[in-house]
Amino acid sequence: MADEAGKHIGEVLLSASNISLSFGAVHALTDVSADIREHEILAIIGPNGAGKTSLLNCINGVYHPQKGTITFEGEPRADLAPSEIARQGIARTFQNVALFKGMTTLDNIMTGRNTRLGGNFLKQALYWGSYQRDELEHRVLVEKIIDFLEIQAIRKVPVGRLPYGMQKRVELGRALAAEPRLLLLDEPMAGMNVEEKEDMSRFVLDVNDEFGTTIALIEHDMGVVMDISDRVIVLDYGRKIADGTPDEVRANQAVIDAYLGVSH
Amino acid sequence: MLYRECGQFKSTYRDDQSIFPIAQDRWALWIALAVAIFVVPTIGSDYWLGSIFIPFLIYALAALGLNLLTGYAGLLSLGTAGFMAVGAFATYNLMIRIPDLPFLVAIILGGLIAAAVGVLFGLPSLRIKGFYLAVATLAAQFTIEWVLTTFGWFTNYDASGVISAPPIEMFGYEFKSATSRYLLTLSIVVVLALAAKNMVRSSIGRSWMAIRDMDVAAEVIGIRLLRTKLLAFAISSFYCGVAGALWAFLYLGTVEPQAFDLNRSFQILFMIIIGGLGSILGSFLGAAFIVLLPILINNAAGLFGGAIPADVVSNFELVVFGSLIIFFLIVEPQGLARLWQITKEKLRMWPFPH
Ligand SMILES: Nc1ncnc2c1ncn2[C@@H]1O[C@H](COP(=O)(O)OP(=O)(O)O)[C@@H](O)[C@H]1O
Ligand SMILES: [Mg+2]
């Protein structure tokens, strides 16, 4: 269990208050409030179509909720473009792998560092002096991520040719390369076999443990959720119906009715 | 010598990140450069230098420019020749209006003006993609042609519309002979090609490929879409603008809007489709192919001793082009450069495939 290491769960890092998001007549989220605390692993669960992905999309600016506010690091946030939110330290992966298919594993993960490896394009065209040094420095960090995720062997392979499980791992690497404060993972273990799920769970725990990264993840596998999360929130039909420790949520009658007991 | 990567251990990331990590590729480049600098001017006739090598190099430069935009950043453009025209006419006007302006400075400024125009027509790219963007760039092509033929100022009120380019003089030397024009073109193209190669392996190149492959994911890792796309338009149009100026000053010797019509745009688009989208080498291969194919077909027809009428030959050319483009679009979208790469991969295994 993640909490037995005696890890320190800190202040609220991000807080969504009374968020509502609809697409025409579809209410994806209705009046949802949730906090994400520093250093915790928060699981977001709920049946398909419950609004889990929509919640992540609101947090990182892909969607802007029609109502409610999002506060990050104590400051209420205006409707920003996703690129600006990324620069504030929020990274994510997608439910359907969203890698850059024509690029290699290495380049995909290097791209995760682009916000820090700027410099003007003239320096890059010359590839000389300070730019070359920067590129090398960032490469060293990216190689650490590659070692950490045990994907050295596929470093130079275009990601389009990789099996699905590996693609998910590369996508995690790309998100990690940004050294985010808050990492959002949308079904990181979907479609994986047991070993792959175990590997991925270990990576999630290690990231949380070694870098202190705050993680919010969507997951369907209850075993995994109960194992790795510090806290769980449950969505159903766009509303939050429970919020607590894995044990509390497991015992919650509304959750049992809406999700665990009833098969969708 | 065998084409091998193994045995060349790269002990540092620095070696691994060098511009051509495989030694044989480095050698191939040096040899190609040596041949281009020393052998071609010595054995090439004025006809070959002036009418084949110079246009080939300039086409390759324009294709490179388009490839940065379309092959790397995924933004389809039909305005290539329009941006070339801007470069040519901007350079021309700078040369005649600012006395003693050095030619190199004039073409750089001409390229920058083309870049500015490229950015202007690139603005819609934030909202539209693919086919619709192609139509927007088509508008650039027509607008630029119209402006240049309608407002006399740009052609210095020349009635014929065909202006001879002012002579090029640098360091007291006049670039008049085919050899000197060839070497000047070659130097500019090599420098810009190396710069392009560097950009595509840097963060800006990765940003371009990222927005090409998956723009939502690119944005979510912090890439600013509008800026990245406009930079692609600017740099691409700079390359095309310089190519246009070289076309007018070092190839044709005249500055005329007709040299930069829609056909030219398509021709350059075909080069990158045949040569390889998203490949620097592919831009050169595509340009070589399109320059050389008509010559090959004509020579082949010549073997029949004029028995085949000229119009049949030129129609045959179109048929061959059309079939090749369909072939590459369907079978090998990464073009000749990819075929070359596959050959190299086979060589790497040879003589023990698997
Ligand atoms: N871009 C969109 N346009 C229209 N409807 C959407 C869009 N995104 C999500 N929805 C709808 O919002 C609801 C919640 O979707 P989602 O957040 O993806 O659910 P989950 O991730 O929990 O499966 C669903 O009914 C879905 O159809
Ligand atoms: Mg979802």
Side-chain angles (χ1 to χ4, degrees):
Chain A
M1 296 288 282
D3 46 350
E4 44 188 57
K7 85 174 170 193
H8 167 72
I9 290 182
E11 300 290 298
V12 172
L13 178 63
L14 180 136
S15 143
S17 42
N18 308 101
I19 289 212
S20 295
L21 172 76
S22 45
F23 301 97
V26 179
H27 299 286
L29 294 169
T30 310
D31 208 23
V32 172
S33 296
D35 289 342
I36 305 176
R37 294 179 166 274
E38 223 158 341
H39 309 309
E40 78 176 340
I41 297 180
L42 170 74
I44 302 166
I45 65 172
N48 277 332
K52 305 179 296 294
T53 299
S54 300
L55 182 59
L56 293 197
N57 279 333
C58 289
I59 292 175
N60 82 333
V62 175
Y63 298 152
H64 298 300
Q66 283 98 1
K67 274 191 223 146
T69 46
I70 291 177
T71 309
F72 184 58
E73 295 179 319
E75 300 225 13
R77 196 176 70 186
D79 286 352
L80 295 173
S83 54
E84 303 314 304
I85 291 172
R87 281 156 196 265
Q88 294 182 346
I90 301 181
R92 79 174 279 186
T93 65
F94 292 83
Q95 184 169 350
N96 312 307
V97 179
L99 285 171
F100 308 128
K101 292 224 157 39
M103 300 162 73
T104 62
T105 297
L106 177 64
D107 279 344
N108 265 277
I109 302 179
M110 280 296 279
T111 311
R113 293 212 58 77
N114 262 19
T115 53
R116 292 158 198 265
L117 178 62
N120 72 45
F121 69 91
L122 282 176
K123 273 190 184 167
Q124 301 184 27
L126 292 172
Y127 210 89
W128 204 264
S130 70
Y131 181 76
Q132 192 175 20
R133 271 196 307 280
D134 286 354
E135 178 100 11
L136 282 172
E137 251 170 50
H138 289 272
R139 172 78 187 269
V140 170
L141 192 133
V142 163
E143 289 291 340
K144 278 190 191 141
I145 293 171
I146 289 177
D147 287 345
F148 171 75
L149 294 174
E150 296 155 19
I151 47 178
Q152 298 91 338
I154 55 166
R155 195 189 268 118
K156 295 282 174 76
V157 181
V159 293
R161 295 191 210 160
L162 296 174
Y164 181 76
M166 276 297 157
Q167 294 196 359
K168 286 241 158 198
R169 219 185 264 198
V170 176
E171 203 188 8
L172 174 63
R174 185 180 68 191
L176 288 177
E179 294 181 280
R181 294 200 60 194
L182 173 60
L183 177 61
L184 311 172
L185 305 173
D186 197 343
E187 305 200 12
M189 293 153 214
M192 287 188 168
N193 63 32
V194 179
E195 287 100 80
E196 287 174 324
K197 277 187 188 177
E198 276 171 7
D199 283 340
M200 189 54 94
S201 303
R202 185 163 48 84
F203 294 136
V204 170
L205 285 171
D206 285 350
V207 168
N208 177 251
D209 201 42
E210 286 177 28
F211 313 119
T213 310
T214 309
I215 298 172
L217 70 104
I218 298 173
E219 185 44 54
H220 281 298
D221 185 321
M222 279 309 129
V224 171
V225 169
M226 296 299 154
D227 268 0
I228 68 172
S229 50
D230 299 305
R231 206 155 56 82
V232 181
I233 63 175
V234 188
L235 296 180
D236 191 27
Y237 293 110
R239 292 177 188 275
K240 188 173 91 172
I241 57 167
D243 184 340
T245 64
D247 289 330
E248 285 166 9
V249 165
R250 193 172 9 205
N252 184 313
Q253 192 56 46
V255 177
I256 295 169
D257 290 347
Y259 186 72
L260 296 176
V262 189
S263 60
H264 283 255
Chain B
M1 193 168 51
L2 294 173
Y3 185 78
R4 284 294 137 91
E5 197 175 3
C6 61
Q8 302 177 22
F9 294 108
K10 291 168 212 92
S11 48
T12 62
Y13 297 139
R14 189 195 193 91
D15 288 350
D16 195 36
Q17 297 205 162
S18 66
I19 184 162
F20 297 104
I22 297 179
Q24 283 86 344
D25 286 341
R26 264 193 311 274
W27 283 110
L29 181 78
W30 284 119
I31 292 168
L33 269 181
V35 169
I37 296 170
F38 301 110
V39 181
V40 171
T42 346
I43 64 166
S45 63
D46 274 5
Y47 168 75
W48 269 85
L49 288 175
S51 307
I52 295 180
F53 279 99
I54 292 178
F56 155 66
L57 287 169
I58 300 173
Y59 271 134
L61 184 63
L64 197 55
L66 180 63
N67 221 335
L68 292 178
L69 185 67
T70 303
Y72 284 93
L75 302 165
L76 184 53
S77 166
L78 294 176
T80 315
F83 302 130
M84 289 174 78
V86 173
F89 278 86
T91 306
Y92 168 71
N93 278 287
L94 288 162
M95 298 265 290
I96 57 165
R97 287 168 213 281
I98 306 174
D100 300 326
L101 185 68
F103 177 66
L104 282 183
V105 176
I107 54 172
I108 290 171
L109 292 175
L112 290 176
I113 291 170
V117 175
V119 166
L120 187 69
F121 285 102
L123 282 171
S125 69
L126 186 67
R127 288 295 161 91
I128 54 178
K129 306 185 211 190
F131 176 73
Y132 298 96
L133 182 62
V135 173
T137 55
L138 195 59
Q141 173 71 39
F142 289 136
T143 311
I144 291 165
E145 271 187 65
W146 177 77
V147 167
L148 292 177
T149 45
T150 309
F151 299 98
W153 187 86
F154 292 104
T155 49
N156 202 22
Y157 302 101
D158 184 289
S160 69
V162 179
I163 321 151
S164 31
I168 299 156
E169 230 189 80
M170 275 191 292
F171 322 111
Y173 179 82
E174 193 176 334
F175 286 80
K176 206 169 173 186
S177 72
T179 312
S180 67
R181 284 181 289 123
Y182 164 76
L183 287 173
L184 182 57
T185 311
L186 180 69
S187 327
I188 294 170
V189 171
V190 167
V191 168
L192 287 178
L194 288 177
K197 178 87 187 165
N198 280 337
M199 280 188 280
V200 300
R201 68 195 178 109
S202 302
S203 77
I204 178 68
R206 289 191 290 267
S207 297
W208 287 336
M209 292 185 273
I211 59 167
R212 171 196 70 191
D213 286 352
M214 183 71 73
D215 55 358
V216 179
E219 223 186 344
V220 158
I221 59 169
I223 293 172
R224 293 173 170 141
L225 290 191
L226 183 63
R227 252 168 100 144
T228 308
K229 288 180 178 180
L230 291 185
L231 194 58
F233 266 100
I235 293 173
S236 164
S237 307
F238 177 86
Y239 275 68
C240 294
V242 170
L246 297 180
W247 191 263
F249 281 80
L250 292 175
Y251 172 49
L252 293 183
T254 58
V255 194
E256 46 188 310
Q258 293 74 22
F260 307 107
D261 61 2
L262 183 60
N263 280 335
R264 183 82 64 220
S265 288
F266 272 111
Q267 204 180 12
I268 292 160
L269 182 62
F270 294 158
M271 286 178 197
I272 68 169
I273 292 173
I274 291 176
L277 290 166
S279 161
I280 304 285
L281 174 68
S283 313
F284 285 85
L285 295 179
F289 193 85
I290 290 202
V291 171
L292 291 178
L293 187 71
I295 299 172
L296 284 178
I297 290 176
N298 272 318
N299 282 344
L303 293 180
F304 295 93
I308 308 172
D311 57 329
V312 174
V313 174
S314 62
N315 278 332
F316 183 64
E317 221 177 281
L318 291 178
V319 172
V320 172
F321 272 131
S323 332
L324 278 167
I325 283 156
I326 292 167
F327 168 80
F328 278 109
L329 282 177
I330 294 173
V331 182
E332 191 43 87
Q334 286 166 299
L336 290 172
R338 175 76 188 140
L339 295 182
W340 170 240
Q341 200 187 347
I342 292 170
T343 317
K344 288 204 299 186
E345 274 167 22
K346 293 239 164 83
L347 271 177
R348 207 175 295 187
M349 307 287 182
W350 187 85
F352 305 112
H354 300 285

